[in-house]
Amino acid sequence: FSIGSNDLTQLTLGLDRDSSLVAHIFDERNQAVKDMVAMVIKTAKKTGRKIGICGQAPSDYPEFARFLVELGIDSISLNPDSVMKTLLDIAKLEESMK
């Protein structure tokens, strides 16, 4: 499975991130979005499926990437300019989780 964080956020919050009227409230870190992400990761794990995420959130927000790792996500797509920083942060988190 693959979570599209931008699409999931738009669906969950009921808004269009490209609309200047509501773009300012588009935020993948919204608790409702995080609840949906947690639910789908838990369901995928329960059924023995791999799950990943694509979208801007893990690249822009280190705390969101950590949230995903703590939930046991299998893969995270990142923007090239954030790969090293995010990988180092995730490695540090995974080491502390041992």
Side-chain angles (χ1 to χ4, degrees):
F1 291 110
S2 180
I3 303 167
S5 66
N6 295 333
D7 294 334
L8 181 63
T9 301
Q10 289 184 126
L11 177 66
T12 303
L13 300 180
L15 55 85
D16 177 2
R17 69 184 174 136
D18 295 326
S19 169
S20 61
L21 298 174
V22 294
H24 65 283
I25 59 175
F26 180 91
D27 191 341
E28 298 94 331
R29 297 168 298 171
N30 179 286
Q31 191 59 51
V33 177
K34 289 174 70 177
D35 289 347
M36 294 295 287
V37 168
M39 184 174 20
V40 73
I41 291 172
K42 181 180 177 183
T43 301
K45 292 298 183 178
K46 185 177 180 180
T47 59
R49 302 289 181 190
K50 299 280 188 182
I51 187 159
I53 192 166
C54 63
Q56 199 64 32
S59 294
D60 288 350
Y61 309 114
E63 70 275 14
F64 195 83
R66 289 190 294 271
F67 164 74
L68 296 168
V69 171
E70 289 168 348
L71 292 172
I73 199 153
D74 295 298
S75 67
I76 300 173
S77 295
L78 298 167
N79 292 340
D81 64 338
S82 69
V83 170
M84 289 307 298
K85 175 184 67 137
T86 305
L87 287 177
L88 291 171
D89 192 43
I90 288 171
K92 188 175 178 181
L93 173 62
E94 287 177 335
E95 185 63 32
S96 73
M97 293 171 60
K98 287 183 180 178

